[in-house]
Amino acid sequence: MMNIGTNPTISKGNQSIEVHIFDFDESVYDENIKINFLDRIRDEKKT
């Protein structure tokens, strides 16, 4: 699951990309990875 946006609840306009990989137990820090977009769930909203 991936979020691309501004995290409107926490920050003010800083855009970021955050990826959660389910059932994955490896270290990928400082590694290049490829992410494929499969579907869009919804627009970003402030909670």
Side-chain angles (χ1 to χ4, degrees):
M1 179 169 50
M2 178 181 353
N3 178 61
I4 301 174
T6 59
N7 300 323
T9 303
I10 300 170
S11 66
K12 305 231 188 255
N14 296 329
Q15 192 166 29
S16 66
I17 299 173
E18 185 175 288
V19 177
H20 296 274
I21 305 172
F22 299 116
D23 299 323
F24 186 79
D25 189 22
E26 302 277 334
S27 177
V28 291
Y29 284 100
D30 295 323
E31 298 290 335
N32 291 322
I33 60 171
K34 181 178 179 179
I35 303 295
N36 293 314
F37 294 86
L38 299 178
D39 201 359
R40 182 173 185 205
I41 297 174
R42 65 171 171 84
D43 287 337
E44 197 169 42
K45 64 180 181 180
K46 186 173 183 176
T47 57

